[in-house]
Amino acid sequence: MRDKLAPVVLWFCAFSGILSSAVVQSETHEWALSEVCPAGFQEREGGCYLQSFYSGYKSLRESGVGGLKTGLPALREGFSAQQIDLGRLLFFDPLLSVDGDMACSSCHQPARGFSDGLGGSVGRHGEVMTRSAPTLWNVGFLRELFWDARADSLEEQMQGPLFSSIEMANTPENLLASLQQDANYPALFAQAFGEKPLSLEQVYTALTAFESSLVSLSSRYDLYANGFHEVLTQTEIEGMNVFRSFVARCAECHTPPAFTNQQIAVIGTPELEGMPRDPGVQAITGDASQRGGFRVPTLRNIELTAPYMHSGRFKTLRDAVAFYTGGRGHAVPEGEHLSLHWHIWEPDLADHELDLLVAFLKTLTDQSFMPVLPQKVPSGLKPVATEFLTY
């Protein structure tokens, strides 16, 4: 099967830009930013723009819920190759934290699908957070960020962990001074933004540019959706049919090709043993109907990002999909009143159907456009979490 599919995969990847030199470039110049757009992107009018089969599908609903020929949400794009590459270096550089020991990649590790493999991320002094770190794959398509959707942009979102006293714990003033006084960063910012004074806004733009370049659209599912039907096994196709069915109703919230409808859903997932109910979006809006509500996450690379749910309550994909067939509100504790999302009901899926769902979800694994992971960063500090495991 591998030999049979090789020409198809090569053709698909070449179309998408995976053979771009940006993926295989070596850092031959001492801190010269790349002038080549990352894999999957093409330079146009001075910016990098995504090239994708899905770009030709204009309607998000033209094929119905879960249809194969639906379009993508708008992507944050148009950043220059230099801005993206600068963001890549900043992302892995612990200079961005107050003590020089944490980076963005501490909680968003390439080897774990740009999450961290924990139910609750760990803070600078070992504090365990109450929520897991979501994947950054396809984050540039999202309208709202954080589990509770409290940020409207990547620029706003990143300031949370950068300046949180229990995460990277920096201050805007110290972060700016650290970069301005570094031996290499001022010249790199000049390459990316021109001869303007180095500013925090440039830092946020560069990180946004890099994170928006983390696109995952070349999975075996994507090959199937775009006409190469032999790439999925019969078991995986049957799992996709369960996923899209009006019995399971998975695709109503995890709508392809983004595999999220970007809405808030109250599903009644249980908290970890002994933990209080996380109010979710209610804590932001004050709306009691949004108690326990969280942003619907993408399922892209879901195989790599265990444990699952906002608190990491389920260790395996099988456990996670089984939750949905347990009956409406079955995990809501007595005395807790949640306005469960309308699609949470009792599909009563059989064990073999749950296994089919898991098989299908694994076809969404794709890290073809993994960026070059720096083995050194401009600050001279040790880059964080630059290991990449092949699955």
Side-chain angles (χ1 to χ4, degrees), residues 172-186:
E173 297 76 16
N174 186 67
L175 173 58
L176 184 59
S178 297
L179 291 168
Q180 290 172 333
Q181 295 165 15
D182 183 80
N184 296 304
Y185 271 119

PDB file of all heavy atoms in Angstrom, residues 172-186:
ATOM      1  N   PRO A 172       5.845  43.530  30.041  1.00  0.00           N
ATOM      2  CA  PRO A 172       6.077  44.152  28.729  1.00  0.00           C
ATOM      3  C   PRO A 172       7.393  44.928  28.684  1.00  0.00           C
ATOM      4  O   PRO A 172       8.139  44.844  27.709  1.00  0.00           O
ATOM      5  CB  PRO A 172       4.856  45.066  28.564  1.00  0.00           C
ATOM      6  CG  PRO A 172       3.789  44.422  29.384  1.00  0.00           C
ATOM      7  CD  PRO A 172       4.495  43.837  30.567  1.00  0.00           C
ATOM      8  N   GLU A 173       7.693  45.657  29.753  1.00  0.00           N
ATOM      9  CA  GLU A 173       8.897  46.476  29.785  1.00  0.00           C
ATOM     10  C   GLU A 173      10.157  45.606  29.756  1.00  0.00           C
ATOM     11  O   GLU A 173      11.121  45.897  29.029  1.00  0.00           O
ATOM     12  CB  GLU A 173       8.908  47.363  31.035  1.00  0.00           C
ATOM     13  CG  GLU A 173       7.773  48.375  31.106  1.00  0.00           C
ATOM     14  CD  GLU A 173       6.434  47.754  31.501  1.00  0.00           C
ATOM     15  OE1 GLU A 173       6.427  46.613  32.018  1.00  0.00           O
ATOM     16  OE2 GLU A 173       5.400  48.416  31.280  1.00  0.00           O
ATOM     17  N   ASN A 174      10.160  44.537  30.536  1.00  0.00           N
ATOM     18  CA  ASN A 174      11.336  43.675  30.600  1.00  0.00           C
ATOM     19  C   ASN A 174      11.517  42.895  29.306  1.00  0.00           C
ATOM     20  O   ASN A 174      12.651  42.705  28.834  1.00  0.00           O
ATOM     21  CB  ASN A 174      11.218  42.706  31.780  1.00  0.00           C
ATOM     22  CG  ASN A 174      12.487  41.884  31.964  1.00  0.00           C
ATOM     23  OD1 ASN A 174      13.533  42.425  32.316  1.00  0.00           O
ATOM     24  ND2 ASN A 174      12.399  40.588  31.712  1.00  0.00           N
ATOM     25  N   LEU A 175      10.414  42.425  28.722  1.00  0.00           N
ATOM     26  CA  LEU A 175      10.514  41.691  27.465  1.00  0.00           C
ATOM     27  C   LEU A 175      11.116  42.577  26.373  1.00  0.00           C
ATOM     28  O   LEU A 175      12.026  42.159  25.647  1.00  0.00           O
ATOM     29  CB  LEU A 175       9.129  41.202  27.034  1.00  0.00           C
ATOM     30  CG  LEU A 175       9.037  40.564  25.645  1.00  0.00           C
ATOM     31  CD1 LEU A 175       9.974  39.376  25.517  1.00  0.00           C
ATOM     32  CD2 LEU A 175       7.597  40.144  25.349  1.00  0.00           C
ATOM     33  N   LEU A 176      10.619  43.787  26.271  1.00  0.00           N
ATOM     34  CA  LEU A 176      11.123  44.702  25.242  1.00  0.00           C
ATOM     35  C   LEU A 176      12.599  45.014  25.475  1.00  0.00           C
ATOM     36  O   LEU A 176      13.407  44.988  24.534  1.00  0.00           O
ATOM     37  CB  LEU A 176      10.292  45.979  25.247  1.00  0.00           C
ATOM     38  CG  LEU A 176      10.626  47.006  24.155  1.00  0.00           C
ATOM     39  CD1 LEU A 176      10.447  46.402  22.775  1.00  0.00           C
ATOM     40  CD2 LEU A 176       9.744  48.245  24.318  1.00  0.00           C
ATOM     41  N   ALA A 177      12.969  45.275  26.714  1.00  0.00           N
ATOM     42  CA  ALA A 177      14.363  45.600  27.019  1.00  0.00           C
ATOM     43  C   ALA A 177      15.281  44.412  26.713  1.00  0.00           C
ATOM     44  O   ALA A 177      16.389  44.596  26.186  1.00  0.00           O
ATOM     45  CB  ALA A 177      14.490  46.007  28.489  1.00  0.00           C
ATOM     46  N   SER A 178      14.836  43.200  27.039  1.00  0.00           N
ATOM     47  CA  SER A 178      15.652  42.012  26.784  1.00  0.00           C
ATOM     48  C   SER A 178      15.950  41.850  25.304  1.00  0.00           C
ATOM     49  O   SER A 178      17.079  41.513  24.915  1.00  0.00           O
ATOM     50  CB  SER A 178      14.940  40.759  27.315  1.00  0.00           C
ATOM     51  OG  SER A 178      14.766  40.823  28.710  1.00  0.00           O
ATOM     52  N   LEU A 179      14.957  42.094  24.468  1.00  0.00           N
ATOM     53  CA  LEU A 179      15.145  41.963  23.030  1.00  0.00           C
ATOM     54  C   LEU A 179      15.993  43.114  22.478  1.00  0.00           C
ATOM     55  O   LEU A 179      16.864  42.904  21.618  1.00  0.00           O
ATOM     56  CB  LEU A 179      13.785  41.916  22.335  1.00  0.00           C
ATOM     57  CG  LEU A 179      12.966  40.657  22.592  1.00  0.00           C
ATOM     58  CD1 LEU A 179      11.524  40.840  22.112  1.00  0.00           C
ATOM     59  CD2 LEU A 179      13.589  39.449  21.908  1.00  0.00           C
ATOM     60  N   GLN A 180      15.766  44.314  22.962  1.00  0.00           N
ATOM     61  CA  GLN A 180      16.525  45.471  22.481  1.00  0.00           C
ATOM     62  C   GLN A 180      18.007  45.362  22.839  1.00  0.00           C
ATOM     63  O   GLN A 180      18.872  45.813  22.073  1.00  0.00           O
ATOM     64  CB  GLN A 180      15.947  46.757  23.057  1.00  0.00           C
ATOM     65  CG  GLN A 180      14.587  47.139  22.494  1.00  0.00           C
ATOM     66  CD  GLN A 180      13.961  48.318  23.217  1.00  0.00           C
ATOM     67  OE1 GLN A 180      14.242  48.552  24.402  1.00  0.00           O
ATOM     68  NE2 GLN A 180      13.113  49.072  22.521  1.00  0.00           N
ATOM     69  N   GLN A 181      18.289  44.754  23.975  1.00  0.00           N
ATOM     70  CA  GLN A 181      19.671  44.661  24.448  1.00  0.00           C
ATOM     71  C   GLN A 181      20.380  43.403  23.977  1.00  0.00           C
ATOM     72  O   GLN A 181      21.594  43.262  24.196  1.00  0.00           O
ATOM     73  CB  GLN A 181      19.680  44.724  25.977  1.00  0.00           C
ATOM     74  CG  GLN A 181      19.191  46.055  26.534  1.00  0.00           C
ATOM     75  CD  GLN A 181      18.852  46.003  28.010  1.00  0.00           C
ATOM     76  OE1 GLN A 181      19.231  45.066  28.722  1.00  0.00           O
ATOM     77  NE2 GLN A 181      18.114  47.004  28.495  1.00  0.00           N
ATOM     78  N   ASP A 182      19.661  42.509  23.319  1.00  0.00           N
ATOM     79  CA  ASP A 182      20.269  41.288  22.825  1.00  0.00           C
ATOM     80  C   ASP A 182      21.215  41.604  21.664  1.00  0.00           C
ATOM     81  O   ASP A 182      21.009  42.551  20.896  1.00  0.00           O
ATOM     82  CB  ASP A 182      19.165  40.322  22.366  1.00  0.00           C
ATOM     83  CG  ASP A 182      19.721  38.987  21.914  1.00  0.00           C
ATOM     84  OD1 ASP A 182      20.021  38.145  22.784  1.00  0.00           O
ATOM     85  OD2 ASP A 182      19.870  38.796  20.690  1.00  0.00           O
ATOM     86  N   ALA A 183      22.245  40.786  21.514  1.00  0.00           N
ATOM     87  CA  ALA A 183      23.246  41.034  20.472  1.00  0.00           C
ATOM     88  C   ALA A 183      22.722  40.789  19.066  1.00  0.00           C
ATOM     89  O   ALA A 183      23.258  41.345  18.097  1.00  0.00           O
ATOM     90  CB  ALA A 183      24.474  40.150  20.726  1.00  0.00           C
ATOM     91  N   ASN A 184      21.674  39.977  18.922  1.00  0.00           N
ATOM     92  CA  ASN A 184      21.231  39.573  17.590  1.00  0.00           C
ATOM     93  C   ASN A 184      19.832  40.033  17.207  1.00  0.00           C
ATOM     94  O   ASN A 184      19.553  40.280  16.035  1.00  0.00           O
ATOM     95  CB  ASN A 184      21.284  38.038  17.481  1.00  0.00           C
ATOM     96  CG  ASN A 184      22.698  37.505  17.594  1.00  0.00           C
ATOM     97  OD1 ASN A 184      23.576  37.893  16.833  1.00  0.00           O
ATOM     98  ND2 ASN A 184      22.934  36.622  18.565  1.00  0.00           N
ATOM     99  N   TYR A 185      18.937  40.136  18.168  1.00  0.00           N
ATOM    100  CA  TYR A 185      17.541  40.373  17.825  1.00  0.00           C
ATOM    101  C   TYR A 185      17.262  41.722  17.144  1.00  0.00           C
ATOM    102  O   TYR A 185      16.445  41.789  16.222  1.00  0.00           O
ATOM    103  CB  TYR A 185      16.650  40.198  19.046  1.00  0.00           C
ATOM    104  CG  TYR A 185      16.180  38.761  19.221  1.00  0.00           C
ATOM    105  CD1 TYR A 185      16.506  38.031  20.350  1.00  0.00           C
ATOM    106  CD2 TYR A 185      15.417  38.132  18.223  1.00  0.00           C
ATOM    107  CE1 TYR A 185      16.094  36.719  20.502  1.00  0.00           C
ATOM    108  CE2 TYR A 185      14.994  36.813  18.373  1.00  0.00           C
ATOM    109  CZ  TYR A 185      15.341  36.108  19.511  1.00  0.00           C
ATOM    110  OH  TYR A 185      14.923  34.817  19.643  1.00  0.00           O
ATOM    111  N   PRO A 186      17.887  42.832  17.548  1.00  0.00           N
ATOM    112  CA  PRO A 186      17.571  44.090  16.856  1.00  0.00           C
ATOM    113  C   PRO A 186      17.780  44.016  15.344  1.00  0.00           C
ATOM    114  O   PRO A 186      16.950  44.523  14.570  1.00  0.00           O
ATOM    115  CB  PRO A 186      18.515  45.092  17.519  1.00  0.00           C
ATOM    116  CG  PRO A 186      18.689  44.558  18.909  1.00  0.00           C
ATOM    117  CD  PRO A 186      18.760  43.064  18.724  1.00  0.00           C
TER     118      PRO A 186
END
